[in-house]
Structures are given as structure tokens and as C-alpha cells.
Amino acid sequence: MSGKDFNEISRRGILKGASALGVMGALAPSWLGAGAARAAVADGEVITGSHWGVFHARVEGGQWTGIRPWEKDPHPSRQLEGIMDSVLSPSRIKYPMVRRAYLEGGPGTSPETRGAGDFVRVSWEQALDLIAGELRRVSETHGPTGIFAGSYGWMSPGKLHNCQSLLRRMLNFGLNGAFVNASGDYSTGAAQIIMPHVMGTLEVYEQQTVWPVVVEATDVLVFWGADPVRTNQISWTVSDHGNYPYMEAFRETGKKVIVIDPWRNETAQFFDAEWVPIRPGTDVAMMLGMAHTLHEEELHDAGFLDEYTTGFDLFLPYLTGESDGVPKTADWAAEICEVPAEKIRELARLFQSSRTMLSSGWAIQRQHHGEQSHWMLVTLAAMLGQIGLPGGGFGLSYHYANGGAPTANSIVLPGMSDGGGAVDGPDWLNASGAGSIPLARVVDMIENPGAEFDFNGKRAAYPDVKMAYWVGGNPFSHHQDRNRMVKAWQKLETVVVHDFQWTATARFADIVLPATSAYERNDIENVGDYSAIALVAMKQVIEPVFEARNDFDIFADISERLGSREAFTEGKDEMAWIRGMYESAATQAPARGITVPSFDDFWAAGIVEFEIPEENMQYVRYGDFREDPLFEPLGTPSGLIEIYSKNIEKMGYDDCPAHPTWMEPLERLGGEGAKFPFHVDTTHPPARLHSQLCGTSLRESYAVGGREPCLINPADAEARGVTDGDIVRVFNDRGQCLAGAVISDEIRPGVIRISEGGWYDPAPGGEVGALDIYGDVNTLTPDIGTSKLAQGNCGHTVLADFEKYQGDAPAPNVFMAPAEV
């Protein structure tokens, strides 16, 4: 990608894809019979939005035939090419389906047959009666902790059809909140817990020093485990892609960019950056080596540390080795991270002598002891003394949803209320007596009812869950240690899933309901997670395919069976809710000094845009704090940056000390007793959003031999007798999967890369330990918490081995719907 223009790449690819999609519409698969996918308008274009941006859907003769990116999108994502195919995919869920054994024998019958694809088609009435009856039975038999509804996943954008809020709303009104919830997420499980202790805020989902300031003032831009050129294609709401023009502008300045990562990622290629191929999982050690250099050479900013931080004096004995006899020198760090000691010293001096922005990704905290990574990054930035200066300091969201794109003066839409019963932590009980768990510990919960666990200073016991209700997510993709999960799932009596494609999660359910995609219903959403540059009318493109229904209507009908329909709907239909959300947001306009159109005018236009004030083009994170720490304190107990946390000290955790610390992970390259020779880098995929769009034609653009690609260094491939395009078996003592070999010197020796999000496709039978045919990397990863503090996931702590697969590899089966009965 280096040296090419973003717009040239994206628009050429999108137009090519739109043309292909037009052909696909004319030559639709045979199962798309007459009336299967009728359009909401007969002819013309419909504006709508997605995680990949705003676009116009072309409709001809009542059929969806193409996609055109919004003309004001500065960098349309090529992933838009997969959207229409996802709606019209052979993996589409057409009808309500029930696992045969469950239908014949009732809850808990033959759970080992989950995943075998043996489903029976039922009517909507029968499916909804089954679900409502089971909700009542589990609630009455097992009490408020019997149902798990902490459903998680990226779902679809849209304020009304937030299926996870709708699920909890249904249970709050229909069962008086009698369900178990979850807190946190898989993206930032460790960081979002440690950062409030260090900086007094979540940090990971907050505005950064804006890109115009970075372009102007930053001399050295460091991407540490971050790949914004790849990951900014997507957003939680509707993507604005606002960072891409600024990344181009920074590249044009010719200023220095450094990428610290085990592979030379897309960002390194785009900027032609200096690549520092660190050994995975050793970031804290490298940062400590740099910090020691700064202190030893008296390059640290003692004045900044004295005025804006607390606890450096308590951290210093550890850094120098006074407290444990091990000075954290660059030479010590080099032995661990395999970055030469002189390079570590050179980088420390460079960062100190230049205005440096340390932009970190989230991969470095999705590791065992992941809390330490961002804590140490902040400590390093504090020693450099540039936090709060234009272009200096650190940022944890430049790679996510276009963090750093300047914020417009806009109105902000309210979300759909879940009815008030949701809880936030493990031992906060709602009115029904149910509680919450750290999200990534869901399998622990199922396996170990009654077992105690720690979480951020609290201790609680896991509930005894009998039923899981999952919407808008694919835990059989994003959760770790797939075989452990398959086995644990067998303990559940009932699993209900809503989706529009036959993901592995749907295949391992008992009752599967066909939900609409975002393009078969109406909704409304902000454009730009950070920029809030516009509001878009997410207009329905086509009528629901086959028997699909939207989640709002599904939950309304379940609520009716539970006697709570009126409370759930408040007497409003889809468009009344959308109108109300817009009109509520519009009341903010006078205070902001802006005018907005009426709802009817907005809906007719399809989008309303907002201006970016000049002051927002100059925003510097922590600038106010630096100017006056007394009157602009942080949200920490001290009001300062806490390099040493007395609150964490009081918790007394053996796996999370009170200051940043290098702690040996469960397993790593070079670690004592490592059982397998390769680290598996589980990066974000290039052409999908986690597992979304895996079941589309986009897969053909990256799959190798029909499998998820596996990037391998030439030296490692030669040692294993593997050549480009071979099918390899990747394995450890947790599981095994197939993948397609891609030989490249853009990944360091000792590391192989399989992107997360590949659809789990166990060999026929779906039994525990089965070979995954397609390439779900989470068959290999460990399911452990980062520490007792955050209990985040450790998807980037994984060692394995690989070999050339012998014989004829079985064909993937997961991208076709199970046979209908």
C-alpha cells in the first residue's frame, strides 16, 4: 500500500465491487426465489449506514443490485463490497429453527449434538412460545441467576435496533430484571479497568489529541501494536473514515514514523515506517528498558513527574533494581524482547529529544498481565514529560473508529433504554437479586457455578446459569479456547440465538431465530464515533428476506407472551421510536447554536451534516490538566497521573502489583518451559469486522486454499517444508485448525499470523477437540483472565506449532446453511 493514494485504492475497488454486485443481483442464487428479497422502493437509491460507512444502495425493479459509497466519505472501505452478499448469502438463516433433539426431548436433551447442524424448521408462533415458556421455566425453577443475557458482540449500528439493549429491556420488563448481566468487552478488557486507576478515565474510548495537531506538531509518531490504516475502516457507529486524509498529510510531511510490532503491518507499509520487530508479549520489558535509559542518562522530565504524577518515587526502586536486584536496563530488556539494547537506548533518546506521540493499540493489553502494558506506556510518556503538549504524550484510540478526527458541533442521539435493570459489576445486585460477571469469564461461569472470583477489588461468586440468550454477537468466534467452550456449552439447558447468518454460535444453539440485517429495517445513527460529523437515516433497503423479523418486533412478541408488551414498546412502532430519538436530540441544537431540520425533512434528505469548530481542530488531550492541574484534576484519587496506585496496593493481588511491572505470562517465545516454538499473532483481519463478513464473497480476496491465511516467515516455512499456498495444520494442546500458508518476510521469525474472526468449522460431528477446518484461531488461545484486577481476555498470549497438512484437506462447510428439515 505504500506510496498509493487511499481514494484511488478504495474507490476503484468499491466501484469494481459494486459492478460485480450488480451482476450478482441479476444472476441471483436459485434459492432467492420470487419475493425472497423484495426492495422497500421499486427503483432508485436508498441511503443507509453501516460499520463500514454511509452508502447508497441501488434498487432496480424491486431488487437490490448495487452499492455506491457516500460521496463525502474520504476513504470508502472495500469491505462495503461484502455487505450485499451478507444479506443474500447461502449462509442466510431463512426460518425459525430448533435443534431436533431439543424439540423432541426438551431442555438439556443431548447437548453434545449442538453444532451437528440437525435442525427442524418451526413456525414463528411455535418458536416464540418455546422461548417465552423456557424463560418462565428457568426463572421460576432456578431464580434470578438462571438466565444469562450479558450478550455481547458488534451487532449492527443503529440506535433503535440495538438488539442487546432490546434483549435486556425485554427481560427487565418481562421478568423483573431476573437475569445475569456482564460488564466490559473483549476489545479493551484490561485497559478499561486499569486506566481509571492511572488516569481517572476509561481512556480507550475517548477523544485523542486531534490529527491536525499531530500533523503540525508531532515530530516522531510511534504506533505500538497498532495498525490504524487497517482498523480505521470500521467504527462502532457508522464510520466517517476521518483519519485517512490526516494520515496522508502526515506521510507527506516526511516526518518519522516508527511501528513496533511483530509484523510489518499495513500502517508500516503505508508510511514506509521504521519497523521494530519486537518479540510478542514483551512490550512492558522494552518500555522498562527505555525508561531505565531515560533515568540513567538523566533524560527524564523530573519536573513533570513532580507536578503531574504521584508514585514515581515508589516505582523507581523497581526500575533501578534496588527493590528486587534486577535493574531494568536496556540490556535486560533486550534479552526478553529481542530488540537490540542499543536500539532501545536510541529510541529512548529520540523520543526525549523530539515531540513524540506514543500511539498504542489494544493488542498489547489482550495478553496475560495486559493491565501492565498501557500503565507502563503512560509511565514512559510521563517520564518524557510531553503529556498535555501539542503533538506529544500518548493515545490509545488513534487506531479505533478514527479516534483523533476532530469533533463536530453536533447533536447526539439517545440510545434505546434497556429498562433499567442492567448492572455494572460482579456483586452489584439488581432488584431481582441477579448480578453481573466480567464478560470474558463467561465460560468460567458456566463451568464453575458458585466458585468465587476477584474483579477490580471486589469478590463474588459465579451464578448457576442454565440458559443463555445471545443476540448481535458470535462468541464462538471472539471467545478464547474453543474446545473448552464447546464442552462448557453442553452444561446449558437452553441456548437461544438471533442472527441473520448461520454463524458457529447459531449452529451451537437450541432455538435459532432469523433476524433481519440492518438493511431490512429502518434506524438512525451518528456518523463518526469521535467526529459526530453527521446523522444518517438508516433507511430500509429491501423487505425482510424469507421469514426474517427485526429484533424489536421479536422481543415485542415475546414480551406479549410475558404480559409486558405495552411496557416494552411504550405503544410506539419502529418509525415512532426513530422520530422520537431524533426530536429528543434536536432539543440540544439551540444550546449548541445550531439549527437542524425537522424530522420529516431529515428523513427525506437521508443525512444531516455538522460543522467542526476551529477550536475543536486544536484539541490537545490533557492540555487543560497540564495548564492547571489544581483546577483541572484527573479523576484519580490524587487528581494526578498515578504511577503507583494505592487503591490497587490495597487489593493485594499477586498478579497485579501497585506499579507497572514486567510479569512472565502464561507462555511466550523465549519463556522458561515454553512447550511450542511459535507465537501466533491473532491480528484484526484485513477484510472483515471480526467475524462479520467472513461468510461473504470478500473471503475470496484473502482465503488461501479456502482457509484463513497463515503468514509465515520464509526461514520458518523452509524448516517445516512448507511452501506458499500449502494447507498447514496449526496446533497446540488446546486445539488445532487448518490454514493456508502465505510465506512473507514481513513477519518476524518465530511468529505466525492468523487473524481472529474466522468462522469456527469443526470436522463433522462438532465434538470437543475436532479439527477446525476453516481457521478459527481461538481454537488455540487460552481462556484465562489477564489478572484478578480486570479479568480481560488473553487472546494474544498463545504459542503453537505448525506442519504441512498431509492428504486431502476436508472442504469447509460452515458457509452453507444446515440442511432444512
Side-chain angles (χ1 to χ4, degrees):
M1 184 175 294
S2 178
K4 293 185 179 180
D5 179 80
F6 280 122
N7 290 332
E8 178 190 352
I9 295 170
S10 298
R11 291 195 179 276
R12 184 174 62 242
I14 286 292
L15 292 173
K16 181 180 179 182
S19 176
L21 290 170
V23 173
M24 179 183 169
L27 303 174
S30 60
W31 56 265
L32 270 177
R38 303 308 302 173
V41 296
D43 288 284
E45 286 193 329
V46 178
I47 193 168
T48 190
S50 70
H51 289 305
W52 305 276
V54 178
F55 66 92
H56 303 274
R58 187 170 68 250
V59 177
E60 298 175 297
Q63 297 286 339
W64 189 3
T65 61
I67 288 173
R68 178 173 63 88
W70 184 39
E71 53 276 7
K72 295 188 179 180
D73 188 333
H75 174 57
S77 170
R78 73 184 182 95
Q79 294 180 42
L80 285 174
E81 298 174 32
I83 287 178
M84 199 172 87
D85 192 45
S86 72
V87 176
L88 308 179
S89 167
S91 63
R92 184 70 195 239
I93 301 173
K94 305 176 190 176
Y95 314 110
M97 304 287 276
V98 180
R99 185 170 60 90
R100 180 189 298 278
Y102 184 95
L103 187 64
E104 294 174 350
T109 300
S110 303
E112 70 278 2
T113 67
R114 290 191 184 119
D118 189 13
F119 287 92
V120 177
R121 178 181 174 183
V122 299
S123 68
W124 268 105
E125 290 300 309
Q126 187 176 3
L128 295 175
D129 287 345
L130 278 172
I131 292 171
E134 185 64 357
L135 288 170
R136 285 198 194 93
R137 182 193 73 82
V138 173
S139 184
E140 292 169 1
T141 304
H142 301 288
T145 61
I147 300 168
F148 179 72
S151 186
Y152 168 81
W154 266 69
M155 52 186 182
S156 301
K159 291 295 189 263
L160 171 60
H161 294 290
N162 180 325
C163 52
Q164 290 153 15
S165 291
L166 291 171
L167 167 62
R168 291 187 268 273
R169 182 180 179 88
M170 179 269 289
L171 293 173
N172 279 320
F173 288 128
L175 295 179
N176 296 315
F179 66 92
V180 176
N181 202 1
S183 62
D185 58 41
Y186 282 77
S187 297
T188 64
Q192 66 179 255
I193 298 299
I194 189 65
M195 282 295 99
H197 290 287
V198 179
M199 299 300 299
T201 182
L202 284 178
E203 195 66 47
V204 287
Y205 299 123
E206 299 180 30
Q207 182 61 295
Q208 312 295 284
T209 293
V210 294
W211 265 103
V213 174
V214 172
V215 172
E216 175 66 26
T218 299
D219 298 316
V220 176
L221 180 55
V222 181
F223 292 109
W224 202 311
D227 192 4
V229 170
R230 171 176 288 193
T231 57
N232 275 325
Q233 292 183 74
I234 61 174
S235 293
W236 180 255
T237 61
V238 174
S239 188
D240 61 323
H241 301 133
N243 281 2
Y244 287 91
Y246 295 114
M247 287 192 284
E248 287 181 328
F250 195 92
R251 181 179 65 178
E252 290 169 4
T253 68
K255 293 190 285 190
K256 192 169 187 63
V257 178
I258 299 170
V259 171
I260 302 172
D261 201 288
W263 75 289
R264 188 171 178 266
N265 60 32
E266 291 183 28
T267 299
Q269 295 173 49
F270 173 74
F271 284 106
D272 194 20
E274 178 182 348
W275 176 36
V276 180
I278 189 173
R279 179 185 268 170
T282 64
D283 310 277
V284 172
M286 182 173 171
M287 294 177 199
L288 282 165
M290 297 170 75
H292 189 279
T293 298
L294 293 174
H295 182 264
E296 183 179 49
E297 299 183 7
E298 298 184 352
L299 298 175
H300 63 294
D301 191 330
F304 183 90
L305 293 169
D306 288 344
E307 186 171 359
Y308 299 101
T309 77
T310 182
F312 182 74
D313 58 324
L314 299 175
F315 165 72
L316 189 57
Y318 170 75
L319 182 66
T320 61
E322 179 184 341
S323 63
D324 63 358
V326 181
K328 310 308 177 297
T329 64
D331 294 284
W332 166 86
E335 290 293 319
I336 296 171
C337 69
E338 283 196 333
V339 175
E342 190 49 45
K343 171 57 67 174
I344 294 173
R345 296 187 187 97
E346 174 192 318
L347 290 174
R349 296 164 188 150
L350 174 67
F351 294 176
Q352 187 274 337
S353 63
S354 310
R355 185 63 57 86
T356 301
M357 176 61 74
L358 300 176
S359 170
S360 169
W362 298 340
I364 66 173
Q365 55 88 58
R366 284 193 294 269
Q367 303 174 0
H368 198 200
H369 309 303
E371 294 87 350
Q372 305 303 315
S373 301
H374 284 158
W375 197 355
M376 188 59 221
L377 185 87
V378 171
T379 300
L380 179 60
M383 292 180 71
L384 294 171
Q386 298 180 24
I387 296 172
L389 292 178
F394 71 96
L396 305 188
S397 291
Y398 284 110
H399 69 291
Y400 170 72
N402 295 275
T407 304
N409 183 21
S410 63
I411 59 175
V412 179
L413 294 165
M416 170 58 82
S417 166
D418 66 8
V423 290
D424 298 321
D427 65 348
W428 288 270
L429 300 181
N430 61 18
S432 71
S436 180
I437 65 163
L439 180 63
R441 303 274 55 77
V442 60
V443 168
D444 270 353
M445 172 192 71
I446 297 170
E447 286 183 334
N448 303 294
E452 291 190 336
F453 65 95
D454 292 291
F455 177 56
N456 201 17
K458 304 289 185 178
R459 172 162 284 200
Y462 286 127
D464 190 3
V465 167
K466 303 297 183 181
M467 177 180 183
Y469 205 135
W470 216 284
V471 293
N474 188 12
F476 274 77
S477 173
H478 64 241
H479 193 79
Q480 285 65 51
D481 197 343
R482 188 69 60 243
N483 288 308
R484 180 187 179 196
M485 185 177 190
V486 169
K487 187 176 181 179
W489 229 239
Q490 294 176 5
K491 294 186 67 176
L492 296 169
E493 296 176 0
T494 299
V495 179
V496 180
V497 169
H498 299 193
D499 212 318
F500 72 98
Q501 287 187 294
W502 279 104
T503 65
T505 301
R507 292 166 191 265
F508 277 82
D510 299 309
I511 304 172
V512 180
L513 299 184
T516 54
S517 68
Y519 318 109
E520 300 160 87
R521 61 197 185 213
N522 293 297
D523 215 318
I524 186 172
E525 186 57 278
N526 295 99
V527 179
D529 289 31
Y530 295 90
S531 70
I533 197 68
L535 300 183
V536 64
M538 294 179 60
K539 295 184 181 182
Q540 182 175 336
V541 178
I542 57 173
E543 295 295 340
V545 169
F546 294 99
E547 292 186 9
R549 303 182 63 201
N550 70 58
D551 294 292
F552 181 86
D553 289 344
I554 294 171
F555 287 128
D557 281 356
I558 296 174
S559 295
E560 183 170 359
R561 287 161 169 79
L562 298 176
S564 54
R565 183 185 187 93
E566 184 62 27
F568 179 85
T569 66
E570 298 183 18
K572 295 184 285 189
D573 63 9
E574 177 184 77
M575 289 307 298
W577 274 102
I578 294 170
R579 177 185 291 272
M581 289 173 172
Y582 180 87
E583 291 178 346
S584 174
T587 63
Q588 305 162 17
R592 295 178 178 273
I594 58 176
T595 58
V596 296
S598 68
F599 174 75
D600 291 331
D601 289 344
F602 157 71
W603 197 257
I607 196 163
V608 57
E609 300 172 63
F610 303 99
E611 297 293 325
I612 301 173
E614 179 58 32
E615 63 182 299
N616 290 2
M617 299 285 286
Q618 303 300 322
Y619 174 75
V620 175
R621 185 155 185 81
Y622 296 116
D624 291 343
F625 167 66
R626 187 180 186 108
E627 184 175 340
D628 196 332
L630 181 62
F631 287 97
E632 297 287 347
L634 304 182
T636 59
S638 65
L640 303 172
I641 298 168
E642 300 213 349
I643 295 173
Y644 189 100
S645 170
K646 293 183 178 179
N647 278 349
I648 293 177
E649 179 186 40
K650 292 174 184 176
M651 296 176 194
Y653 294 151
D654 58 358
D655 55 2
C656 188
H659 60 68
T661 304
W662 163 250
M663 306 186 75
E664 281 287 347
L666 173 73
E667 56 194 41
R668 70 169 177 88
L669 291 180
E672 185 175 347
K675 294 175 63 176
F676 296 94
F678 296 97
H679 174 90
V680 184
D681 194 21
T682 60
T683 56
H684 193 287
R688 62 176 185 258
L689 193 174
H690 301 311
S691 68
Q692 290 189 37
L693 302 183
C694 188
T696 73
S697 58
L698 273 179
R699 191 176 62 259
E700 299 171 7
S701 70
Y702 57 81
V704 177
R707 328 283 162 170
E708 196 66 18
C710 178
L711 201 66
I712 305 171
N713 183 272
D716 296 329
E718 183 178 4
R720 290 290 192 275
V722 170
T723 59
D724 205 67
D726 283 345
I727 303 301
V728 295
R729 183 177 77 98
V730 187
F731 60 94
N732 59 21
D733 51 10
R734 288 180 288 269
Q736 54 180 332
C737 69
L738 298 183
V742 178
I743 313 305
S744 172
D745 58 6
E746 290 180 347
I747 191 153
R748 57 160 285 157
V751 178
I752 61 176
R753 192 198 77 204
I754 303 176
S755 293
E756 52 85 16
W759 280 14
Y760 176 54
D761 190 10
E767 64 272 8
V768 177
L771 173 69
D772 174 56
I773 296 170
Y774 174 69
D776 171 17
V777 74
N778 275 323
T779 57
L780 308 169
T781 52
D783 182 11
I784 59 172
T786 51
S787 79
K788 297 182 180 72
L789 182 78
Q791 295 286 4
N793 79 81
C794 296
H796 285 273
T797 297
V798 52
L799 296 182
D801 203 346
F802 72 92
E803 63 185 10
K804 183 175 180 178
Y805 187 78
Q806 302 299 322
D808 295 329
N813 186 56
V814 72
F815 303 113
M816 299 295 293
E820 296 175 21
V821 178

